[in-house]
Amino acid sequence: MLSKERFIHLNNNNLKKYLLYGLIEVILVVSGILIALQINNWDENRKQSIKNIELIDLLITDLDIKKNENQSDIEIGKFIEKGILSTLDYWYKNNDINTTEIKRRVNWIGADTYYFNNSSPSYTRISNSPLWESIPDSLNRELNDIYYNRFTSINLIFENHRKYGTYTKLNYLLPNNLLDSRNTNEDVKRIVKKNPEKFIIHLNFTLENIKRLIEAFTLSRDNIENVIIRLQDYKKKIMP
């Protein structure tokens, strides 16, 4: 038969073991919960990183399209610049209007349908996403400079060019019957030579507008190239 002291001692030992097992069980449960939370957080961070990378790729694609558009517009601008310069050079050397591509020159000085699409759904989407807050400030400023300052500047130059083209149509081309598609090169030359100095003034003004556009497109293209490189570097840093 167990003595009272022995019985109490055994009960105390059982209680200690019970408490110890209970404590171990609590620790295991808490550890399991913490590990599960950590895994869940890691998985959520990985998913967010993947989403951020997709958004950066979307932005890079949009910028690359804009860069190619800029390059194409630079080439078109240089083509127009070269054509106008050849006509002006002929005038200054010969005091005469060269009929070569004369109808095209007339179309250029009255051009009022050019436009630049500076909208970007991709940029709008990304700038309103959580990713925007994590992008370094310097890169953030460069992106804003491209999408707001550079593109807005190009758009304003185009707008002025269109206004001047419309003005030229209404006040020079239309009154002098230079918009008639049936005119031959010789017809156009004959009309222009009634007041060649005015035609030369319009050519010079158009040339200055084209030069401004080429400069704006070149700055935009170069800035975009630099930002794409920085975005690609940033993308590598956040790869999961």
Side-chain angles (χ1 to χ4, degrees):
M1 181 178 225
L2 292 172
S3 65
K4 184 178 179 180
E5 291 80 8
R6 178 65 176 168
F7 180 77
I8 292 173
H9 177 71
L10 289 174
N11 280 342
N12 287 338
N13 284 341
N14 288 336
L15 180 61
K16 288 179 181 178
K17 289 179 181 179
Y18 176 77
L19 291 174
L20 179 61
Y21 291 149
L23 179 61
I24 292 173
E25 187 175 347
V26 169
I27 292 172
L28 289 174
V29 170
V30 171
S31 297
I33 292 173
L34 291 175
I35 291 172
L37 287 173
Q38 187 175 9
I39 292 174
N40 184 64
N41 287 338
W42 174 84
D43 189 53
E44 288 299 318
N45 290 335
R46 183 183 64 82
K47 289 179 180 178
Q48 186 60 49
S49 294
I50 292 173
K51 184 177 180 180
N52 287 344
I53 288 171
E54 290 174 351
L55 289 174
I56 290 174
D57 284 337
L58 185 65
L59 186 57
I60 289 174
T61 298
D62 185 64
L63 285 168
D64 197 51
I65 291 172
K66 295 293 186 185
K67 183 191 73 173
N68 291 335
E69 288 176 354
N70 285 173
Q71 182 58 40
S72 176
D73 287 328
I74 289 170
E75 292 169 3
I76 293 172
K78 287 184 175 180
F79 174 78
I80 294 174
E81 179 186 39
K82 182 179 178 182
I84 293 177
L85 286 173
S86 68
T87 300
L88 291 174
D89 184 61
Y90 189 89
W91 164 256
Y92 293 130
K93 287 181 179 178
N94 303 285
N95 196 32
D96 191 17
I97 301 297
N98 189 354
T99 57
T100 304
E101 300 288 345
I102 187 64
K103 293 178 71 174
R104 177 175 284 180
R105 309 294 187 262
V106 167
N107 290 333
W108 286 344
I109 65 175
D112 58 358
T113 58
Y114 296 142
Y115 72 96
F116 178 73
N117 182 17
N118 61 340
S119 65
S120 173
S122 298
Y123 172 73
T124 302
R125 174 184 171 188
I126 293 169
S127 62
N128 291 320
S129 73
L131 169 65
W132 197 249
E133 298 298 325
S134 64
I135 293 178
D137 289 341
S138 59
L139 183 54
N140 190 306
R141 286 193 297 270
E142 288 184 54
L143 285 166
N144 281 327
D145 181 63
I146 288 172
Y147 281 99
Y148 284 109
N149 298 334
R150 295 299 175 198
F151 291 171
T152 300
S153 175
I154 292 171
N155 207 31
L156 286 173
I157 297 172
F158 264 121
E159 182 62 27
N160 289 332
H161 189 65
R162 285 197 300 272
K163 288 179 179 178
Y164 182 75
T166 299
Y167 172 85
T168 304
K169 275 184 175 179
L170 295 176
N171 295 277
Y172 176 66
L173 300 181
L174 188 60
N176 288 287
N177 197 37
L178 285 169
L179 294 178
D180 191 338
S181 61
R182 295 170 298 180
N183 287 335
T184 65
N185 284 346
E186 290 298 331
D187 290 333
V188 173
K189 179 178 178 179
R190 175 178 49 78
I191 296 170
V192 166
K193 288 209 68 176
K194 292 178 181 178
N195 190 351
E197 288 79 9
K198 194 166 187 177
F199 177 67
I200 296 301
I201 289 173
H202 283 300
L203 273 181
N204 272 307
F205 200 91
T206 301
L207 178 62
E208 290 307 310
N209 281 337
I210 293 299
K211 285 181 177 179
R212 289 180 63 203
L213 280 170
I214 292 173
E215 181 181 5
F217 281 129
T218 301
L219 286 172
S220 176
R221 179 202 61 191
D222 294 346
N223 285 355
I224 289 174
E225 286 180 347
N226 292 331
V227 168
I228 287 177
I229 292 173
R230 292 201 59 192
L231 281 170
Q232 289 170 337
D233 290 339
Y234 179 69
K235 174 183 167 183
K236 293 177 183 176
K237 292 179 181 179
I238 65 171
M239 291 282 286

